[in-house]
Amino acid sequence: MEVKVNEQTRKKSEEDKHISLVINGNQYSLEVGYGSYQVKPSDTLAYTLRETLGLTGTKVSCDDGACGSCTVLMSSKAVPSCMILTVECAGKDITTIEGLGDPKTGTLDPLQQSFVDHTAFQCGFCTPGMIMSAKALLNENPHPTEEEIKEALSGNFCRCISHYQVLEAVLAASEKDGGDND
Amino acid sequence: MRTFTHINAHTVNEACELLGQYRGKARLNAGGTDLLAMLKGDIWPEYPEAVINVKTIPGLDSITENDNVLKIGALALLSDVAKSPTIKEKCGVLAKAALSVGSPLIRNVATIGGNLCQAPRCWYYRYPRRLGGPLPCLRKGTGPCLAVKGDNRYHAILEGKGCFAVCTSDIAVALAALDAKITIAGPKGERSISVVDFFQPLGNTLKIDEMIKDFQIPATMLSMEQRFLKFTLRKPIDFAIVSVAASIGLNNGVCTDARIILGAVAPMPFRAKAAEEKIVGQPISDNVAAEAAEKALANAKPLSMNAYKVEIAKTLVRRAIKGSTAGLGE
Amino acid sequence: MIDSYRYIGKETPRRDGAEVVTGSAEYVDDIRFTNLLYGEVLRSPHPHARIKQIEKSKAEVLGGVEAILTWENVPDWKFGTPTIFRILDRKVRFVGDAVAIIAARTKDIAREAARLIEVEYEVLPPVFDMEAAMKPGAPQLYEELPGNKLPLYAPVLGPKSLTEIVMGDVEKGFAEADVIAEGTFGYENIPNPLPPEPPSAVALWQEPNKVTVWVSNQQVWLNRKILSEIFGDNVEVRAIGGPCGGSYGSKVMSWQVQCYAAALSKATGKPVKVCFSKEEHLAAFVLRPETRIHARVGMKKDGTVTAISGKWLLGTGYYSMTTQAQLSVGAGEAQIAVRCANWDVKPTIVCTNRNASGIVRGFGGQELKCALIPLLSLAMEKADLDPFEVLKKNYLKPGDGYYWRDGNWYSYRGVDYTKAMEKGAQTFGWKAKWKGWLKPTALNGTKRTGVGVGIHGNADIGEDVSEAYVRLDPEGRAVIYSSVTEHGTGQRSNCIKVVAEVLQLPLEAVSITPSDTLITPVEWGPAGSRGTYAILSAAIAAAEDAKQKLLQFTAPLLGVGMGDLETEDGFIWVKNRPDNRITWKDALELRTVLGHGRFNPDYSFANCMMSFVEVEVDTETGKVTLLRVVNATDVGQIIDPPGIRGQLNGCLGTAGIDSALFEETVLDRATGCVLNANMIDYKWRTFSELPPIDNVIMETPFPSHRFGAVGIGEVATSPGPSAVLMATSNAIGVWLHEYPVTPQRVLEALGKVGSK
């Protein structure tokens, strides 16, 4: 049965037709709707990043908020992009794995470089999410203890068990760099 | 995820009005970590027509203290609750409960009100459409509780009546131990209800056009010893198998007042009054704690696979009373 | 260990490192296609039913739906062992079995279409227990499989694959024994290897007979072989692999996913992508086989095993692709771990109404060890013997032999692992921690600690065939043609490493082709730890062949014999006369050199890993915590230190050690539903709970290839689970017989709660 809502409500739902947000320093204005390049009300941020904007560095694994593969930074906090509706991201500042490092020169963010130097991955599928969680930590706490790193990464799934090498990579990056490289 | 109409609410009144207009066919979205899981699983008999975003209502995420009351807005993030200096100092049980939820990622988006209103953590109730679900059950209005004859290792050991799904809200357990009041807003204004009374065997007292606005913790509780223990297989991610939150007033080692609440053992947070009565007026000792734990679980009726939860619950009650937290991830 | 290598044994960055850390590595779901359609599967709510009618008209008229296939109109493609399993059948055999497949313009439309299909079922009684399935009158899953028993023969392993462990005279063996123990142990928790990337495929069918499949898989050529068998040799199959987000064996069983995509592409003429959701991955994809063994073990007081006889029940769920092969390999591995002259172990493979078991690292052997080592332990307990000493004594030694999976007898040509085991024991402090059977190592209030040890080894490290080409370019570069994909072991980087070592080129001067069967020669792919010996042997041989051809070509130019020449960094010179040199470019001008390398199966080596674990049990809550792990092995020569470390640390995850602690697939025996098909309820190890792991890796050269190395990665998960069962049993003083060691089982064993 179709619910009857009053005219004002119907209007309201139409009101927020454009979602303006910043992703990796670029301003985006996304249209809400059901067309090919529009954002549906039910689209998650992970979906929009990957399917609408082509930013496939953000991986989706569990799609249930439990594995951290889709981690991005929102207002500098690490969040699961699979559990966030894009239509609720108006005005947000988002950083994805593509936003680290300098694609023009090919220079990696020191944290990314540290992951390479420590072979802190095996299959690599969880790595972008892992790096984003670690990045959020280092931004807030440039010199974390090992325990603090474990806590910050406790929502990131790695099945190959590269955890030990990840810890070393994050520790090394924090010692070298202090994490304030933004 | 199937689509829905999405509306940003800008005031509490507007949110309640919208809920009223949709007559139960709209869902509020706060942090989204539970709602989106339910929508993706597509498990409700009726898929919601609308999702109403309440994060666009200003001021609902504040944490303030005045007139001897600590007030926490329903939209306060669990990560903020966990690290708020005021909450850590005055009601550590709540900070610990908040910190025990999910993972840092979840706590950065999930809210305190949302945690309280989470759908039951029952793997029959939540069985997804994509795998041949949803499964009809008592909670959904059709048929018996499937846990009774099925795998009930995580289900209720106390007060199960028909439905044996448990309330796994860590926040509810902590707030109940703090004797917190919930301010509920509706079309006719606001009402206040205690956390324990908020829950009902098959859900909570929220009417279809009501929402939680804030939580108020009376100052009298803030001086008591507070303990939160949560038993899980893993420290992060997991929901409680058993949790205990306790506020215990002590005077020279003698218990003067106590509130002991168990989580994940019953369809609602379970107040262990018999255990409270056992310890009030007594000096806290191993024996008193053990006797109180026995009392707390005296009415336990485990199902076929969850008798072990009774033992764990007793252990947690005992340890909460004694103040021992060994090995429980505190 | 030779330390004169330029790259071998040195830490070198993974070739794909930059792509991995920038998110630009393209896993299947990341590849963009034009006109792409999305495939979705409608799944059965019943564990066992016959489909009476499928009403799809409502779904068909939904805008954006391009094809709906059911058993009535899908190609009659079949695979499995035996080849009787259809991609869509008239019957459904587990909750989640495929009923219809849908292709639509978006994922959401495809899912909505699935919602609109109405299916009428004739519900049949299900059977979930292995023994119940074999009883007369039990529900029958397939007409072709009376008693729900599968034939044991594994055609993929040759005409006389190993189907049992029978040799010597067990009665004589028991007569010689000082102690005889008997019991039943089960490893029946069917854990999921659960790679982070779900099973995924994109297929493009081009009529009349060409199909290209983009796969998430580490064995791309094998994938091509499987699909060719299914579609028929008249169909030209091209399989393209890329980075694989974990497999741990499982994704080799992706034929159904790929066939759904291929069938939908055939029906629509467009590329179709099928990516399982995590629920589907957990409830409708590969699990470990379940194992239950009832056996008797005879043992002498000195730890000599005199006889093993018993019944080995293997559950494969609703179908089998490789369970027979897992039986064969497991049976071979049993002989490698236990030198015993008299065996009589008879297996049975049973079908039940749950999702399928199949390939997971440990391939049959881990499943068998999880029951066999506890059974041996019962005898050790009777004889009051230290399990470390008994396992060490009974492991394969040079000169010993075994019947391997193909039914042939092989004499072992590898190294003696005794030293590695002893070094492991020393690192762990075994002697001080071992207090005797069912005795805790330490008591601490309500907590007790206990220790355990397990062992495993595999002779598949030289299984099957590999081929590679190495092309030398005039500019001093080399290209490796190989279908190996990167699934986490660093295999592609290691191929580059050995080729650079043979040709003495800078690492940057060596590249490897995309994994594409159109371009690359035959390659079984990484499996059974074969990467280091088999795959690298082919790459080494191809590089050597190319080098020889290069020098052969250059020798007349420099007026010397080719044996007088050396090459390094793109230069060729006369030995001892480094001034008399030319560049490859000078020598080759506009010409390339192609070397070919092939590896043929060699089952005369077996690897070995011993794992020591220490656990702590909270006797009040029943919670078991892993405190420490020590792994010990000898690999001949480490190729890549961080790579092998990662592989050995992998002992915890992928249904390894943690399958003894908390991992399990919860199959509801009342409804047939997998209840924990999400990553909250399916338990996996987190950063918050990392026990210290020490990996003792010795390097005693093997007569394998020129670098003397063998592989180890696959078996890392296998010795640990039985060690955890042993350690927990020792801690609590009571034998546990099932996995995992949940609080429920521990409290029951302690008598604190009644058993169900």
Side-chain angles (χ1 to χ4, degrees):
Chain A
M1 187 188 75
E2 186 73 6
V3 171
K4 288 209 170 59
V5 294
N6 69 32
E7 200 44 38
Q8 202 189 348
T9 303
R10 206 167 278 291
K11 258 196 188 149
K12 264 210 67 55
S13 68
E14 309 268 299
E15 178 181 289
D16 303 298
K17 270 208 142 166
H18 282 88
I19 309 296
S20 290
L21 72 171
V22 174
I23 302 170
N24 301 332
N26 301 316
Q27 184 77 43
Y28 286 81
S29 179
L30 302 171
E31 215 173 84
V32 180
Y34 292 89
S36 299
Y37 298 98
Q38 292 179 316
V39 170
K40 294 190 293 299
S42 56
D43 285 352
T44 62
L45 178 59
Y47 181 89
T48 302
L49 291 170
R50 290 180 51 80
E51 306 298 330
T52 312
L53 303 176
L55 296 169
T56 54
T58 299
K59 307 299 176 197
V60 174
S61 180
C62 77
D63 204 20
D64 200 22
C67 80
S69 297
C70 66
T71 303
V72 300
L73 306 190
M74 184 182 273
S75 312
S76 79
K77 281 184 183 171
V79 296
S81 64
C82 74
M83 299 308 265
I84 294 170
L85 294 175
T86 307
V87 292
E88 297 184 357
C89 290
K92 300 289 185 192
D93 187 347
I94 287 155
T95 308
T96 71
I97 189 75
E98 288 91 347
L100 302 189
D102 185 348
K104 274 187 207 151
T105 59
T107 313
L108 300 176
D109 181 279
L111 181 59
Q112 291 173 310
Q113 187 60 51
S114 192
F115 268 64
V116 174
D117 295 343
H118 291 82
T119 316
F121 51 84
Q122 290 175 64
C123 82
F125 196 84
C126 68
T127 310
M130 204 74 87
I131 290 176
M132 296 317 285
S133 283
K135 188 72 192 167
L137 170 71
L138 295 183
N139 283 344
E140 198 186 312
N141 177 3
H143 296 287
T145 61
E146 191 172 316
E147 286 311 306
E148 287 168 333
I149 300 171
K150 285 181 180 174
E151 168 59 24
L153 292 172
S154 62
N156 287 80
F157 171 70
C158 163
R159 194 59 164 164
C160 300
I161 311 292
S162 287
H163 305 62
Y164 298 87
Q165 281 145 298
V166 167
L167 288 174
E168 289 166 5
V170 178
L171 267 177
S174 69
E175 279 157 13
K176 234 185 247 174
D177 185 72
D180 53 353
N181 41 60
D182 279 349
Chain B
M1 200 173 0
R2 298 185 90 202
T3 198
F4 40 73
T5 300
H6 183 270
I7 308 169
N8 290 322
H10 298 286
T11 64
V12 170
N13 280 348
E14 187 189 346
C16 294
E17 202 174 294
L18 285 163
L19 283 172
Q21 286 179 27
Y22 276 95
R23 292 178 211 185
K25 293 190 175 183
R27 296 273 173 177
L28 294 187
N29 191 28
T33 56
D34 194 47
L35 179 68
L36 264 57
M38 299 300 286
L39 296 180
K40 287 177 186 184
D42 194 359
I43 66 107
W44 279 316
E46 272 191 279
Y47 194 83
E49 295 256 344
V51 168
I52 299 162
N53 180 22
V54 290
K55 290 188 290 297
T56 36
I57 303 174
L60 276 193
D61 57 355
S62 62
I63 299 168
T64 53
E65 191 190 6
N66 49 29
D67 297 337
N68 290 328
V69 171
L70 182 68
K71 195 166 112 181
I72 305 169
L75 292 183
L77 295 178
L78 293 179
S79 53
D80 290 337
V81 172
K83 65 176 180 231
S84 151
T86 312
I87 295 177
K88 272 161 87 172
E89 185 201 340
K90 302 268 170 79
C91 37
V93 66
L94 182 61
K96 279 180 193 156
L99 190 63
S100 80
V101 175
S103 71
L105 302 168
I106 293 297
R107 297 195 292 274
N108 278 341
V109 288
T111 65
I112 182 167
N115 184 277
L116 204 80
C117 296
Q118 62 184 277
R121 196 81 215 160
C122 164
W123 48 24
Y124 294 99
Y125 183 78
R126 287 178 180 255
Y127 189 80
R129 185 175 294 267
R130 228 177 181 148
L131 298 178
L135 299 175
C137 73
L138 186 103
R139 188 74 165 235
K140 290 182 198 152
T142 326
C145 174
L146 295 166
V148 175
K149 287 185 179 167
D151 193 314
N152 46 43
R153 70 182 73 180
Y154 298 138
H155 287 80
I157 52 173
L158 277 159
E159 301 199 321
K161 291 182 196 78
C163 168
F164 289 84
V166 290
C167 172
T168 50
S169 167
D170 298 313
I171 294 298
V173 179
L175 286 175
L178 292 167
D179 198 17
K181 300 279 181 296
I182 307 176
T183 310
I184 293 173
K188 290 173 196 149
E190 294 180 1
R191 65 186 173 103
S192 179
I193 188 169
S194 77
V195 169
V196 169
D197 293 336
F198 174 75
F199 288 94
Q200 294 176 333
L202 294 179
N204 59 48
T205 64
L206 280 179
K207 298 197 179 71
I208 58 164
D209 52 2
E210 286 184 329
M211 69 175 277
I212 294 180
K213 199 177 152 200
D214 59 48
F215 302 94
Q216 310 206 3
I217 300 163
T220 48
M221 302 306 292
L222 306 182
S223 59
M224 291 166 75
E225 286 271 324
Q226 296 172 15
R227 281 147 203 174
F228 179 76
L229 299 175
K230 176 171 169 179
F231 183 84
T232 53
L233 291 181
R234 303 171 301 168
K235 188 164 167 263
I237 317 288
D238 285 1
F239 286 83
I241 290 175
V242 179
S243 65
V244 172
S247 298
I248 294 172
L250 288 174
N251 189 356
N252 289 327
V254 175
C255 176
T256 54
D257 193 6
R259 283 179 75 85
I260 300 171
I261 314 292
L262 277 72
V265 296
M268 305 178 282
F270 174 76
R271 184 170 176 192
K273 281 192 182 148
E276 293 169 4
E277 284 161 13
K278 180 76 216 169
I279 64 170
V280 171
Q282 302 279 331
I284 299 295
S285 67
D286 286 0
N287 277 349
V288 167
E291 283 171 31
E294 290 299 325
K295 293 257 182 212
L297 276 300
N299 292 325
K301 285 193 190 69
L303 298 164
S304 58
M305 293 172 75
N306 65 6
Y308 76 102
K309 284 182 67 165
V310 179
E311 280 310 301
I312 293 171
K314 283 183 196 168
T315 303
L316 262 58
V317 171
R318 211 163 52 230
R319 288 179 185 176
I321 293 171
K322 282 174 13 189
S324 156
T325 58
L328 285 157
E330 211 192 49
Chain C
M1 183 185 147
I2 302 167
D3 55 8
S4 60
Y5 291 130
R6 191 166 163 185
Y7 308 116
I8 303 299
K10 309 264 190 333
E11 282 194 29
T12 53
R14 273 261 297 260
R15 174 54 60 96
D16 53 344
E19 287 100 82
V20 167
V21 302
T22 55
S24 59
E26 279 194 328
Y27 300 85
V28 170
D29 196 25
D30 301 335
I31 310 172
R32 305 288 105 172
F33 293 85
T34 359
N35 284 327
L36 182 70
L37 300 178
Y38 296 84
E40 176 75 23
V41 185
L42 173 67
R43 298 185 177 279
S44 163
H46 303 293
H48 199 190
R50 195 169 284 113
I51 297 170
K52 286 170 78 176
Q53 203 183 323
I54 303 180
E55 180 51 58
K56 52 187 182 182
S57 54
K58 278 187 208 157
E60 277 168 336
V61 298
L62 188 69
V65 173
E66 301 221 2
I68 299 175
L69 302 177
T70 66
W71 71 273
E72 291 166 305
N73 60 345
V74 79
D76 190 24
W77 291 334
K78 286 179 280 196
F79 196 60
T81 311
T83 320
I84 59 168
F85 309 105
R86 294 185 160 83
I87 65 163
L88 294 174
D89 207 347
R90 191 171 191 168
K91 252 177 102 176
V92 288
R93 297 179 176 86
F94 71 102
V95 175
D97 201 351
V99 175
I101 50 178
I102 301 136
R105 279 207 324 268
T106 70
K107 273 185 209 179
D108 285 345
I109 296 171
R111 288 191 73 174
E112 195 58 32
R115 244 176 167 267
L116 293 171
I117 297 172
E118 290 158 21
V119 187
E120 198 185 325
Y121 297 95
E122 176 195 345
V123 176
L124 303 169
V127 61
F128 302 115
D129 181 76
M130 293 187 284
E131 310 216 20
M134 295 189 295
K135 285 191 178 144
Q140 301 291 298
L141 271 72
Y142 299 88
E143 279 175 20
E144 298 92 332
L145 303 176
N148 298 310
K149 289 182 199 166
L150 280 146
L152 301 181
Y153 167 54
V156 69
L157 304 183
K160 46 175 190 157
S161 70
L162 198 60
T163 56
E164 57 185 18
I165 322 172
V166 176
M167 68 179 90
D169 178 347
V170 288
E171 286 319 312
K172 185 170 148 273
F174 285 121
E176 290 166 3
D178 294 319
V179 295
I180 294 172
E182 185 168 358
T184 305
F185 284 88
Y187 183 51
E188 302 180 43
N189 47 320
I190 44 175
N192 195 310
L194 196 61
E197 180 200 23
S200 314
V202 177
L204 176 61
W205 190 285
Q206 289 160 298
E207 291 293 355
N209 64 348
K210 263 177 108 156
V211 62
T212 306
V213 189
W214 288 262
V215 301
S216 165
N217 189 341
Q218 78 278 24
Q219 289 170 275
V220 178
W221 242 96
L222 178 60
N223 215 175
R224 193 194 97 137
K225 179 179 181 293
I226 291 168
L227 292 178
S228 296
E229 281 173 31
I230 295 169
F231 301 152
D233 283 343
N234 61 323
V235 176
E236 185 187 330
V237 179
R238 176 181 176 190
I240 300 175
C244 173
S247 168
Y248 323 117
S250 64
K251 284 182 181 162
V252 182
M253 294 186 64
S254 294
W255 67 277
Q256 287 147 314
V257 186
Q258 294 157 3
C259 283
Y260 299 154
L264 290 168
S265 179
K266 196 174 193 306
T268 59
K270 294 177 185 171
V272 177
K273 173 153 78 182
V274 177
C275 292
F276 276 11
S277 68
K278 200 48 76 178
E279 296 109 290
E280 290 174 295
H281 190 173
L282 279 155
F285 199 61
V286 181
L287 308 172
R288 277 199 190 279
E290 59 192 307
T291 278
R292 191 184 301 163
I293 300 182
H294 179 85
R296 289 174 80 204
V297 173
M299 195 176 281
K300 287 191 182 169
K301 279 186 178 147
D302 67 356
T304 304
V305 182
T306 60
I308 301 176
S309 83
K311 289 204 164 75
W312 176 15
L313 209 49
L314 269 158
T316 188
Y318 86 103
Y319 98 99
S320 166
M321 175 174 138
T322 55
T323 310
Q324 289 90 340
Q326 287 166 281
L327 182 169
S328 301
V329 171
E333 287 166 341
Q335 305 158 59
I336 287 170
V338 189
R339 306 156 95 194
C340 171
N342 309 298
W343 293 80
D344 182 17
V345 174
K346 299 254 172 61
T348 309
I349 304 178
V350 193
C351 271
T352 55
N353 292 106
R354 64 161 174 84
N355 62 318
S357 291
I359 308 176
V360 187
R361 71 203 273 203
F363 200 76
Q366 176 172 329
E367 290 80 359
L368 179 56
K369 292 296 181 328
C370 283
L372 183 62
I373 291 183
L375 282 162
L376 288 166
S377 300
L378 294 182
M380 295 180 214
E381 184 195 354
K382 275 194 168 176
D384 195 21
L385 292 168
D386 176 334
F388 165 69
E389 296 296 338
V390 176
L391 293 179
K392 180 180 79 176
K393 177 189 174 90
N394 283 291
Y395 200 81
L396 181 76
K397 303 285 184 294
D400 289 346
Y402 41 84
Y403 286 102
W404 193 241
R405 62 186 211 178
D406 56 2
N408 294 323
W409 179 263
Y410 292 89
S411 284
Y412 175 60
R413 298 195 295 129
V415 308
D416 188 337
Y417 290 105
T418 305
K419 273 191 188 150
M421 296 181 204
E422 283 172 348
K423 201 168 165 203
Q426 199 186 350
T427 305
F428 183 76
W430 176 265
K431 260 191 188 162
K433 289 177 193 281
W434 174 256
K435 306 290 182 193
W437 284 103
L438 302 183
K439 294 195 177 105
T441 298
L443 301 171
N444 174 18
T446 59
K447 296 188 176 162
R448 301 181 194 172
T449 59
V451 293
V453 58
I455 199 162
H456 184 72
N458 183 358
D460 264 353
I461 56 179
E463 70 169 284
D464 295 296
V465 300
S466 283
E467 286 188 15
Y469 309 141
V470 168
R471 189 186 82 204
L472 306 184
D473 290 352
E475 297 81 7
R477 298 199 185 95
V479 180
I480 307 164
Y481 289 67
S482 169
S483 74
V484 165
T485 59
E486 189 48 74
H487 70 304
T489 60
Q491 189 67 49
R492 281 169 73 82
S493 301
N494 287 351
C495 284
I496 289 170
K497 234 167 148 161
V498 296
V499 168
E501 188 76 49
V502 170
L503 298 172
Q504 287 297 302
L505 288 175
L507 283 175
E508 310 78 62
V510 181
S511 51
I512 185 164
T513 59
S515 171
D516 182 341
T517 58
L518 190 69
I519 304 167
T520 58
V522 68
E523 168 60 77
W524 191 261
S529 296
R530 69 185 292 281
T532 300
Y533 177 31
I535 295 175
L536 292 188
S537 285
I540 291 166
E544 285 172 341
D545 185 37
K547 180 180 168 183
Q548 180 165 351
K549 284 174 177 160
L550 172 73
L551 299 185
Q552 218 162 21
F553 183 79
T554 312
L557 301 178
L558 292 176
V560 294
M562 67 167 283
D564 298 325
L565 293 178
E566 229 6 294
T567 178
E568 193 176 313
D569 292 330
F571 291 95
I572 303 163
W573 70 89
V574 181
K575 279 180 195 164
N576 303 321
R577 286 174 50 201
D579 53 310
N580 189 5
R581 66 174 200 177
I582 58 172
T583 63
W584 285 14
K585 199 168 188 174
D586 292 336
L588 294 172
E589 296 178 341
L590 200 54
R591 183 178 280 104
T592 53
V593 173
L594 191 66
H596 175 230
R598 179 174 166 92
F599 174 85
N600 287 313
D602 172 10
Y603 300 110
S604 63
F605 293 123
N607 59 12
C608 173
M609 187 160 128
M610 185 174 250
S611 294
F612 302 85
V613 304
E614 183 165 11
V615 302
E616 180 184 76
V617 183
D618 183 329
T619 55
E620 289 187 322
T621 63
K623 184 164 173 167
V624 182
T625 306
L626 183 62
L627 296 180
R628 192 178 178 209
V629 180
V630 171
N631 297 315
T633 186
D634 192 328
V635 297
Q637 164 72 50
I638 293 171
I639 303 293
D640 184 53
I644 194 172
R645 187 176 159 218
Q647 287 289 294
L648 294 192
N649 289 348
C651 64
L652 301 175
T654 61
I657 285 179
D658 290 343
S659 68
L661 287 158
F662 45 67
E663 273 193 38
E664 59 182 312
T665 297
V666 179
L667 178 76
D668 181 27
R669 309 273 159 162
T671 59
C673 295
V674 169
L675 295 174
N676 62 340
N678 62 70
M679 285 182 57
I680 296 170
D681 293 320
Y682 190 93
K683 307 300 179 195
W684 41 272
R685 186 160 293 268
T686 72
F687 267 93
S688 305
E689 281 131 331
L690 293 180
I693 300 180
D694 286 304
N695 294 312
V696 173
I697 309 172
M698 299 196 50
E699 296 179 283
T700 314
F702 275 72
S704 56
H705 50 52
R706 65 189 272 172
F707 303 120
V710 295
I712 188 69
E714 182 243 350
V715 301
T717 55
S718 303
S722 70
V724 168
L725 195 79
M726 188 191 288
T728 310
S729 301
N730 286 333
I732 64 173
V734 186
W735 268 109
L736 292 170
H737 287 253
E738 286 170 284
Y739 300 80
V741 290
T742 55
Q744 184 182 352
R745 291 202 171 109
V746 169
L747 291 174
E748 279 172 10
L750 287 169
K752 298 204 169 183
V753 300
S755 63
K756 52 179 163 164

